Amino acid sequence: MLLKNTYNEFVKILAKPRSYLGIGALTLLIAVILFAMKADGSSFISFVTSSFEQTLSFNGNILNGNLIAFIILQMLIIHIPLLVALVTGDLISGEAAMGTVRMLASKPISRTSIVLSKFIAGAVYTLILTIWLGFLALIVAKWIFGTGDLIVLNSDGLVILQEQDIIWRYGLAFIVAFLSLLTISTLSICLSAFADNSIGPIVSTMAIIILFTIIGSLDVSVFDTIKPYLFTTHMASWRSFFEDPIPMGKIIQSVVILLVHNVILVVIANVKFNKKDITS
Amino acid sequence: MEKETVIKVEHLAKSFGSFQAVKDVSFTVSRGDVFGFLGPNGAGKSTTIRCLLSLIKPNAGKIELFGKSYTNSRSEILSKIGSIIEKPDFYKYLSAQKNLEIFARISGASVSKSQIGEMLEFVGLAGRGGDKIGGFSHGMKQRLGIAQTLLHQPDLIILDEPTTGLDPQGIVEIRNLILRLKNEQNKTILLSSHQLSEIELIANRMVIINKGKSIVEGEVQDLLNAQELVVHLEVDAVAKAKQVISSHFSNAQFVGETANELEVAIEKSQVPNLNKALIENGVLVFALEPKRKLEDFFMKIVQS
Ligand SMILES: Nc1ncnc2c1ncn2[C@@H]1O[C@H](COP(=O)(O)OP(=O)(O)OP(=O)(O)O)[C@@H](O)[C@H]1O
Ligand SMILES: [Mg+2]
């Protein structure tokens, strides 16, 4: 039943116009960034590198696909959650809004299976979005801008990564970025179990992300104890793969915290949906 | 041999917050019944049906379907039921065919694409299977709803006001469909309605519920005993009319009166004599309208 309903969820996601809105918006955003970089990328780069130019001399193609991919990831990891939540925040509440949840919940399939199939479908959608992001950011950008060494500005200075030392870092970075987005997906599906309309969960998901991000960026000691437990703190973890040496301990900690978030949110959503009186 | 009990509801109660939507509902449906579930708007019909389908959890009472309870046998029970609750809702962005495929996939039975096509034809939607539900009229959705309830060949069919919003032709079609399901396939059908006339045409048993309580249950034939009538009279002098009636008909009962109206419970055979006696004694009769007792009773419930 779980498999059959997961298949159903795919059929529904594939037929919903909003699913393509996410992919379309992502494509458009990246196209805009690529265009901007192509048109005026060198001045954007020199803004960053000028402070080092006295001490270092850069040679080769700095404005290459590897750097563009880094810039795209950096910029979009804040915005893609909205595109994810647009689809996933509707998965349970949309059924309530449409009235179809009555039909679903009066079929011989457990409510737990219904919830789990939604999470699986949401995860697959998020994965597809991440892969599309990776394709556009890395493959298309490299095709347009060529390849080269990656120069990254970190809090503790400039890191220069050799061209052949980069691709595996991106591979791992995208896995962690996927896990971050998966947490958004899970959060919005969880909120969606509490709502009878789809706007509520989408807006709440974004509100939570914004709130947590602000808490995370405020340098106030009262927040210091909770900061490490906010999932938003760990959403930037993918960046750590571009440090030298890679702080594996820190990354593993982030991955564990994100995974724990996912498990807890799935459990909450499941308990809520199982207890819910379906009155819509 | 005793007929198998398909639905058994005992002292069901359900509150939403402090509001008690269902207070005390009990009834029993046997295999092969077309069971009428009659009550005015807000009586608690849909709430009871939602409990029957495990959509909401009752606060008290017992529900048994096919002799089993939801605590142990939920999916076994639900695989034998087809239902429409309130109005049929579908995925608007999918075609009729795809919608049926989705529900068939989780119905517990294997349903082929060609069976879905046949079902669409059966409910009069042949050729519309590929159209998106978004463009369907209410009547078409209602028909698709019926198709959805029948797809997996359920033993028990629960229809919550299936004829709301249908044109007279559509209402007759649904009625005939229900009778065919009963007669040709020996299905058990629970049918809710707020119209007695609808129930009495197709149901063999029924229960009346009002304000969350079941009031009467039994064979439709017995309950609607056509011999017992309530006669509504409009006369010039109510007091005089009462006097005449009591002196001529010892078994007549007065069930209501206003300034110039009177209601008398009396047997059908006595109605012509009642009229004659009033006229012969100088009472002017402006209107005389006999109604069956239960119908009168139900009308009063609805009006109150
Ligand atoms: N989710 C809910 N929250 C609060 N009250 C509710 C809810 N659902 C139903 N009710 C109330 O419970 C009562 C019974 O409602 P129900 O829908 O069961 O009536 P019904 O007999 O099906 O009526 P109708 O003929 O109008 O369909 C109504 O007064 C309704 O307002
Ligand atoms: Mg109702």
Side-chain angles (χ1 to χ4, degrees):
Chain A
M1 268 307 171
L2 179 64
L3 281 181
K4 287 180 178 172
N5 202 51
T6 307
Y7 182 85
N8 277 350
E9 290 305 324
F10 291 145
V11 173
K12 293 181 217 167
I13 288 184
L14 278 176
K16 269 190 260 190
R18 68 170 71 198
S19 313
Y20 300 95
L21 199 67
I23 306 240
L26 183 62
T27 312
L28 187 70
L29 282 170
I30 295 178
V32 168
I33 297 174
L34 289 177
F35 173 78
M37 288 299 153
K38 190 79 188 162
D40 206 15
S42 43
S43 60
F44 179 82
I45 294 297
S46 61
F47 174 74
V48 180
T49 52
S50 57
S51 54
F52 296 91
E53 253 156 17
Q54 291 86 13
T55 49
L56 282 167
S57 71
F58 296 99
N59 42 34
N61 178 14
I62 303 176
L63 188 66
N64 57 46
N66 285 328
L67 180 64
I68 303 285
F70 192 87
I71 294 170
I72 289 175
L73 251 179
Q74 173 105 317
M75 283 183 165
L76 293 188
I77 201 80
I78 321 282
H79 306 289
I80 297 174
L82 176 63
L83 304 179
V84 170
L86 198 62
V87 169
T88 52
D90 181 57
L91 284 180
I92 297 179
S93 56
E95 303 265 2
M98 236 183 316
T100 43
V101 66
R102 291 200 298 275
M103 320 266 262
L104 266 189
S106 55
K107 295 281 178 230
I109 169 174
S110 70
R111 293 215 188 162
T112 302
S113 294
I114 295 178
V115 172
L116 289 182
S117 55
K118 301 258 175 208
F119 278 113
I120 295 170
V124 171
Y125 180 76
T126 310
L127 181 65
I128 290 172
L129 215 56
T130 314
I131 290 173
W132 185 238
L133 172 70
F135 170 76
L136 291 177
L138 215 52
I139 297 178
V140 175
K142 267 192 192 166
W143 175 64
I144 297 176
F145 293 90
T147 181
D149 293 351
L150 176 61
I151 301 172
V152 178
L153 184 62
N154 278 326
S155 49
D156 47 329
L158 214 53
V159 179
I160 301 174
L161 300 167
Q162 298 296 304
E163 195 183 328
Q164 57 277 15
D165 189 30
I166 293 170
I167 194 69
W168 65 277
R169 292 177 193 263
Y170 269 122
L172 294 174
F174 271 104
I175 291 173
V176 173
F178 166 66
L179 189 58
S180 308
L181 295 176
L182 184 66
T183 312
I184 305 295
S185 161
T186 313
L187 171 68
S188 65
I189 295 176
C190 178
L191 292 170
S192 160
F194 288 82
D196 281 349
N197 66 75
S198 52
I199 305 296
I202 297 171
V203 173
S204 327
T205 304
M206 291 319 288
I208 289 174
I209 295 174
I210 294 169
L211 178 72
F212 283 9
T213 309
I214 291 175
I215 292 177
S217 60
L218 283 178
D219 254 330
V220 184
S221 58
V222 283
F223 291 145
D224 282 353
T225 45
I226 56 167
K227 266 182 205 172
Y229 302 104
L230 301 176
F231 66 88
T232 44
T233 311
H234 304 282
M235 285 188 65
S237 259
W238 63 272
R239 271 195 73 148
S240 303
F241 286 110
F242 298 92
E243 286 173 25
D244 210 16
I246 296 175
M248 278 320 269
K250 202 178 126 205
I251 293 175
I252 288 169
Q253 195 191 352
S254 290
V255 166
V256 168
I257 288 179
L258 289 174
L259 284 175
V260 168
H261 268 87
N262 277 284
V263 171
I264 291 174
L265 290 167
V266 170
V267 169
I268 292 175
N270 191 34
V271 169
K272 172 66 190 175
F273 192 70
N274 269 285
K275 278 192 172 172
K276 201 173 185 175
D277 274 346
I278 291 174
T279 56
S280 54
Chain B
M1 198 184 87
E2 185 89 335
K3 275 202 288 181
E4 183 197 343
T5 300
V6 176
I7 305 178
K8 191 182 185 95
V9 174
E10 282 175 356
H11 306 295
L12 191 75
K14 175 68 192 178
S15 307
F16 295 109
S18 60
F19 180 76
Q20 267 206 300
V22 173
K23 291 173 192 143
D24 184 3
V25 168
S26 305
F27 61 93
T28 308
V29 180
S30 306
R31 183 169 293 280
D33 277 349
V34 173
F35 189 88
F37 196 49
L38 184 66
N41 292 131
K45 301 184 294 293
S46 300
T47 306
T48 305
I49 288 178
R50 281 172 195 269
C51 292
L52 282 179
L53 292 166
S54 85
L55 291 174
I56 60 183
K57 292 192 183 63
N59 301 115
K62 198 168 104 177
I63 294 178
E64 260 183 34
L65 290 141
F66 308 99
K68 306 226 157 77
S69 80
Y70 274 125
T71 22
N72 307 317
S73 318
R74 183 171 177 275
S75 57
E76 187 191 337
I77 293 171
L78 288 175
S79 63
K80 293 192 208 165
I81 304 181
S83 61
I84 310 184
I85 314 115
E86 283 176 6
K87 56 187 173 38
D89 283 311
F90 291 96
Y91 300 103
K92 292 189 187 62
Y93 46 82
L94 289 173
S95 68
Q97 170 89 23
K98 280 268 182 303
N99 265 286
L100 292 187
E101 284 173 14
I102 289 225
F103 292 118
R105 210 167 275 133
I106 51 170
S107 68
S110 69
V111 182
S112 69
K113 285 197 178 180
S114 65
Q115 280 173 299
I116 291 178
E118 283 162 26
M119 191 53 79
L120 283 168
E121 202 167 319
F122 181 68
V123 295
L125 290 173
R128 302 302 297 266
D131 298 357
K132 290 220 166 81
I133 303 298
F136 272 32
S137 72
H138 178 78
M140 290 167 76
K141 279 192 237 170
Q142 201 73 268
R143 287 156 192 264
L144 191 64
I146 302 271
Q148 182 273 133
T149 59
L150 301 179
L151 268 180
H152 53 295
Q153 305 279 334
D155 292 337
L156 169 64
I157 297 162
I158 296 180
L159 304 170
D160 189 8
E161 311 213 18
T163 54
T164 355
L166 291 186
D167 57 19
Q169 159 103 12
I171 293 176
V172 172
E173 281 176 18
I174 300 265
R175 196 182 292 151
N176 290 338
L177 176 68
I178 292 171
L179 290 173
R180 272 178 66 191
L181 291 171
K182 174 196 162 78
N183 296 332
E184 293 169 16
Q185 303 183 25
N186 196 30
K187 305 268 189 208
T188 309
I189 297 152
L190 177 95
L191 175 77
S192 91
S193 176
H194 56 265
Q195 279 179 301
L196 180 62
S197 57
E198 188 169 270
I199 296 289
E200 77 170 297
L201 278 171
I202 39 178
N204 62 309
R205 286 177 53 81
M206 68 179 203
V207 63
I208 296 184
I209 73 162
N210 185 39
K211 297 193 177 132
K213 288 184 181 159
S214 41
I215 300 170
V216 277
E217 181 189 354
E219 301 284 323
V220 174
Q221 287 292 324
D222 298 347
L223 292 176
L224 283 176
N225 186 345
Q227 301 312 309
E228 285 183 56
L229 298 180
V230 172
V231 178
H232 290 243
L233 290 164
E234 196 182 326
V235 294
D236 63 336
V238 168
K240 191 170 166 196
K242 277 176 84 173
Q243 198 192 333
V244 172
I245 294 169
S246 348
S247 64
H248 285 73
F249 309 95
S250 53
N251 59 350
Q253 284 178 328
F254 299 106
V255 290
E257 67 173 276
T258 63
N260 53 0
E261 283 173 321
L262 187 62
E263 291 174 345
V264 194
I266 198 166
E267 275 181 31
K268 190 175 186 178
S269 58
Q270 292 178 315
V271 175
N273 293 333
L274 174 80
N275 193 17
K276 191 171 164 223
L278 287 170
I279 294 167
E280 280 176 353
N281 286 281
V283 178
L284 299 180
V285 180
F286 296 102
L288 184 151
E289 189 187 4
K291 276 194 181 147
R292 289 166 308 173
K293 211 169 173 182
L294 189 75
E295 191 174 358
D296 180 75
F297 173 63
F298 185 65
M299 283 311 291
K300 285 204 174 114
I301 290 177
V302 174
Q303 281 154 11
S304 66

